[in-house]
Amino acid sequence: MLRAVDAVDNLRDDLNDTEDGGPPQLRVDLLKLHQLAMAVFNEGSRSQVAVLFEFAVELENQVLSMMGSLEQVQETLSQLTELYPERLSWADMDDAD
């Protein structure tokens, strides 16, 4: 369970709002990527092609890392829910309260 908590902590840096109340850096970076893509594909800015794809690879790696953290959380939860005895039902648990 604590590994799942650690995995969520890893995501906080990527998904939390900034200290000054601004949006998460990932959102800012995705909008920057969008601007680069518009310049390259819509405006024909060849000088930005390398920057666009290098930045896209950087963001892809960041998101893959985030997905790894989420997979750790999911695996932990799956291991726990697999322990749920079938003979119990949520209704029976509500009656016990």
Side-chain angles (χ1 to χ4, degrees), residues 12-71:
R12 291 175 65 192
D13 290 335
D14 296 314
L15 298 177
N16 275 347
D17 288 348
T18 59
E19 290 180 14
D20 62 355
Q25 187 62 44
L26 180 60
R27 183 181 189 283
V28 171
D29 290 344
L30 287 169
L31 288 173
K32 178 181 175 182
L33 183 66
H34 177 264
Q35 288 176 331
L36 286 167
M38 295 294 288
V40 169
F41 295 112
N42 290 348
E43 300 165 16
S45 179
R46 291 178 174 241
S47 65
Q48 297 292 317
V49 171
V51 174
L52 168 69
F53 287 104
E54 289 171 8
F55 195 46
V57 168
E58 182 181 314
L59 288 177
E60 181 181 30
N61 288 334
Q62 181 181 358
V63 169
L64 286 171
S65 176
M66 293 168 63
M67 288 173 59
S69 294
L70 285 171
E71 286 172 356

